[in-house]
Amino acid sequence: MEDRKLEITPEFWGAEILMKHSSAILFAIAVTISSIHLSADEKTITPRGEPTVAEASAFIDGAEARLLDLQNEFSRADWVKSTYITDDTEILAALANARYIAATVEYAKQGRRFEGLNLSPDVARKFRLLKLSLDLPAPSNDKDRAELTRIATAMEGAYGRGKYCPPGSDQCLSINDIERVVATSRDPKKLLEMWRGWHAVGAPIRRDYVRYVELANKGARELGFADMGAMWRSKYDMPPEGFAREADRLWEQVKPLYLALHTYVRSRLREKYGADVVPADGPIPAHLLGNLWAQAWDNVYPLVAPADAEAGIDLTQTLKDRNTNPLAMVRYGEGFFSSLGFAPLPQTFWERSMFVKPRDRDVVCHASAWDVDNFDDLRIKMCIEINDEDFRTVHHELGHNYYQRAYNRQPFLFRGSAHDGFHEALGDTIALSITPEYLVKLGLIDTAPGASQDIPFLLHKALEKVAFLPFGLLIDQWRWKVFSGEVTPGDYNKAWWQLRLKYQGVAPPVARTEEDFDPG
């Protein structure tokens, strides 16, 4: 949801000196090649004379064709980097990303000469989308652009490699291992250990994130935006200030429901863990909510379920009893869309997707949907666990894939949703369709619970969806404040926990300082 380069040292990488120098040499060569290619291919000469409507249309057509090729090149490199994390795959992905960003920025700058022309609505919108198409607007300077893409790629790699190694143990825990413990354990000491272990992964990223902000802001300003946060907020067909106000307005509508949920959950957790662990009022300790980020609370439903609630649907156990494997989980998702009349997923989807975590390498396990060639090379990347949560996540991610396919014949700049939030809303709408009645149709349960069980069902859904809303909002609030300079590097962690207290009503289970970087 993003969000990147750790300083490459032998202590961090655990690498031999030779490997370190080889990677450095490879990166230097890559940057040099990138500069040559950018000079020869992307930096076109701006025509002289008064611009015309016909020239503007031809310009945007040419830009779309070139950017489609570069975006596909980056997607392939990024896929390899995300599913096979090494120093070299990070460098190659950063190189491809730098080429794509450089071309986009250059086209956006050249497109300014057509401002003021009476363009057709579709061409005018393409020019606007061209300017807003980047999530990471790198500076036009070759050196800065290469540094920014390297940092962004490496921070994601550091996250994917992140592990917690318990003292005295010869085995380190990946994020999947840690999430499994956090979702099921009811031992507050074990939960605290996992929370602290995972959050230590963020600390080394802080220095690079500071530089990431500096360079991304520089790129956004070159495109005419106040900072990168303002650029992101400009993608919703309203002024950036208007979008921030709208987000706050919508939150105020939902806030009373969230506060009621928060109060109820806190009281039940206090009954479970005692007054020494959970206060009678105030924030909930973040490690007790069944999720590493306390962003969704459905894993603690057994602790907060109404006293008169029936056992309910244990989809996780049902899937395990049926020996469901990751591939079958995805087949269930495809079947949902086939039942609505959509065409089956392409054979390449099954051949190229990543459904399980490989045993031989580091990968980014965070679930995501990909349209690698912007046409029909659809894939998902997940480290699927056989449980209720991942069953829903598969449906969510396939919602992205089917939506991507639905607009794949549009012009390149129109191959996207109305905005990023709409794409996520579509995926969530599909996930919300996993009702008891749907599970009956799949044969996973015999009968749907009666109306008397509506409240437990809705509570479970609120723990998943309503609980997430303030977390999603505060992440953007933090980033907007960081990019605008309102929050300086010396207060990154302090501001993070202030926002989490304000919006979520959660607090760290142990004292945090600026030596930590929990937003990472």
Side-chain angles (χ1 to χ4, degrees):
M1 92 255 101
E2 332 295 27
D3 289 272
R4 297 183 255 216
K5 170 78 174 161
L6 291 174
E7 184 179 2
I8 302 177
T9 66
E11 291 77 16
F12 178 77
W13 293 109
E16 288 83 358
I17 296 298
L18 177 60
M19 181 178 293
K20 175 186 174 186
H21 288 304
S22 297
S23 297
I25 293 169
L26 176 60
F27 178 70
I29 295 172
V31 171
T32 303
I33 295 173
S34 175
S35 300
I36 295 171
H37 281 208
L38 289 171
S39 299
D41 298 335
E42 275 83 43
K43 294 187 176 179
T44 57
I45 299 173
T46 303
R48 295 182 179 180
E50 291 298 320
T52 66
V53 171
E55 185 184 345
S57 181
F59 173 88
I60 203 68
D61 287 346
E64 285 190 291
R66 179 62 178 147
L67 291 177
L68 174 59
D69 288 341
L70 290 173
Q71 220 269 348
N72 289 347
E73 175 188 332
F74 168 58
S75 290
R76 292 187 173 95
D78 199 36
W79 174 266
V80 175
K81 179 265 298 178
S82 296
T83 57
Y84 203 110
I85 301 175
T86 70
D87 203 20
D88 293 336
T89 59
E90 287 181 0
I91 289 170
L92 294 173
L95 171 60
N97 194 19
R99 287 168 54 78
Y100 174 64
I101 290 174
T104 303
V105 170
E106 187 63 27
Y107 281 125
K109 287 181 177 179
Q110 291 185 24
R112 290 181 179 175
R113 73 184 296 265
F114 302 110
E115 293 176 356
L117 290 179
N118 186 24
L119 302 174
S120 64
D122 59 330
V123 172
R125 185 159 184 81
K126 285 183 180 182
F127 273 99
R128 174 173 171 75
L129 292 176
L130 172 64
K131 190 176 179 181
L132 294 170
S133 61
L134 292 173
D135 292 323
L136 184 61
S140 54
N141 175 277
D142 289 341
K143 180 180 177 182
D144 287 346
R145 183 175 59 250
E147 182 183 3
L148 178 59
T149 53
R150 175 176 57 86
I151 287 173
T153 301
M155 284 201 297
E156 185 177 5
Y159 182 91
R161 270 188 297 268
K163 291 179 176 64
Y164 166 55
C165 302
S169 173
D170 59 354
Q171 286 191 331
C172 293
L173 303 177
S174 69
I175 185 172
N176 271 37
D177 301 324
I178 297 170
E179 284 188 296
R180 213 174 293 125
V181 174
V182 170
T184 58
S185 176
R186 304 300 181 230
D187 178 354
K189 292 183 179 179
K190 174 61 71 174
L191 292 172
L192 177 58
E193 179 193 358
M194 294 296 107
W195 191 93
R196 296 180 73 166
W198 174 250
H199 278 71
V201 170
I205 300 174
R206 172 190 279 267
R207 181 192 302 176
D208 292 304
Y209 196 85
V210 173
R211 183 60 174 157
Y212 165 84
V213 171
E214 293 172 355
L215 293 172
N217 273 344
K218 183 177 180 180
R221 289 171 185 139
E222 288 183 8
L223 291 174
F225 298 97
D227 55 64
M228 190 157 83
M231 179 177 173
W232 285 350
R233 296 193 303 276
S234 298
K235 297 185 178 187
Y236 299 89
D237 291 315
M238 64 178 77
E241 300 79 12
F243 178 76
R245 287 194 299 269
E246 180 67 2
D248 283 334
R249 185 186 72 81
L250 292 171
W251 167 242
E252 288 301 318
Q253 292 182 356
V254 180
K255 185 177 178 180
L257 176 60
Y258 177 77
L259 290 177
L261 179 68
H262 181 281
T263 302
Y264 173 74
V265 169
R266 181 181 58 204
S267 68
R268 299 306 297 269
L269 292 178
R270 182 178 170 85
E271 292 176 12
K272 168 65 180 178
Y273 294 112
D276 293 339
V277 179
V278 181
D281 52 24
I284 300 173
H287 66 307
L288 301 177
L289 290 162
N291 178 279
L292 271 175
W293 307 272
Q295 64 180 359
W297 305 349
D298 45 312
N299 285 322
V300 300
Y301 174 78
L303 302 181
V304 305
D308 59 348
E310 296 176 4
I313 302 168
D314 190 341
L315 182 56
T316 297
Q317 192 58 50
T318 298
L319 292 168
K320 290 181 177 178
D321 289 344
R322 291 170 174 254
N323 295 317
T324 307
N325 60 34
L327 187 61
M329 295 269 279
V330 184
R331 289 290 186 188
Y332 277 125
E334 183 190 39
F336 175 89
F337 291 93
S338 297
S339 73
L340 298 177
F342 288 97
L345 290 163
Q347 181 59 33
T348 52
F349 172 88
W350 305 102
E351 296 168 351
R352 300 172 183 173
S353 290
M354 186 186 84
F355 302 132
V356 298
K357 186 181 188 305
R359 297 181 179 180
D360 62 339
R361 63 185 188 270
D362 289 320
V363 299
V364 178
C365 276
H366 184 79
S368 56
W370 297 60
D371 182 7
V372 175
D373 67 351
N374 283 280
F375 184 64
D376 208 38
D377 189 353
L378 306 171
R379 310 178 193 181
I380 62 170
K381 175 185 62 61
M382 285 184 66
C383 300
I384 296 175
E385 299 281 329
I386 307 304
N387 58 38
D388 183 311
E389 181 179 359
D390 277 13
F391 186 83
R392 298 172 192 276
T393 300
V394 164
H395 284 69
H396 174 104
E397 298 303 335
L398 291 185
H400 289 302
N401 284 147
Y402 279 89
Y403 187 29
Q404 288 162 338
R405 176 191 268 179
Y407 54 63
N408 67 2
R409 296 186 183 277
Q410 293 290 329
F412 172 65
L413 287 169
F414 290 166
R415 292 185 196 180
S417 62
H419 55 68
D420 294 343
F422 192 86
H423 229 298
E424 292 303 321
L426 187 69
D428 265 7
T429 298
I430 302 304
L432 285 168
S433 299
I434 302 176
T435 61
E437 290 75 16
Y438 173 62
L439 298 179
V440 170
K441 291 180 179 178
L442 294 181
L444 292 174
I445 60 175
D446 295 328
T447 58
S452 65
Q453 292 302 301
D454 282 354
I455 294 299
F457 175 76
L458 293 172
L459 172 60
H460 191 282
K461 193 56 61 179
L463 293 169
E464 178 189 359
K465 298 300 181 184
V466 177
F468 181 84
L469 296 176
F471 181 81
L473 177 59
L474 75 88
I475 279 187
D476 272 340
Q477 290 279 4
W478 182 84
R479 292 192 294 192
W480 297 343
K481 292 175 184 293
V482 166
F483 288 126
S484 72
E486 181 180 344
V487 171
T488 61
D491 289 325
Y492 273 1
N493 226 44
K494 176 183 176 182
W496 172 253
W497 284 108
Q498 286 176 338
L499 288 169
R500 295 203 69 179
L501 178 62
K502 175 182 177 180
Y503 287 100
Q504 275 191 295
V506 303
V510 291
R512 310 302 282 169
T513 71
E514 292 305 322
E515 293 297 314
D516 305 301
F517 186 47
D518 296 326

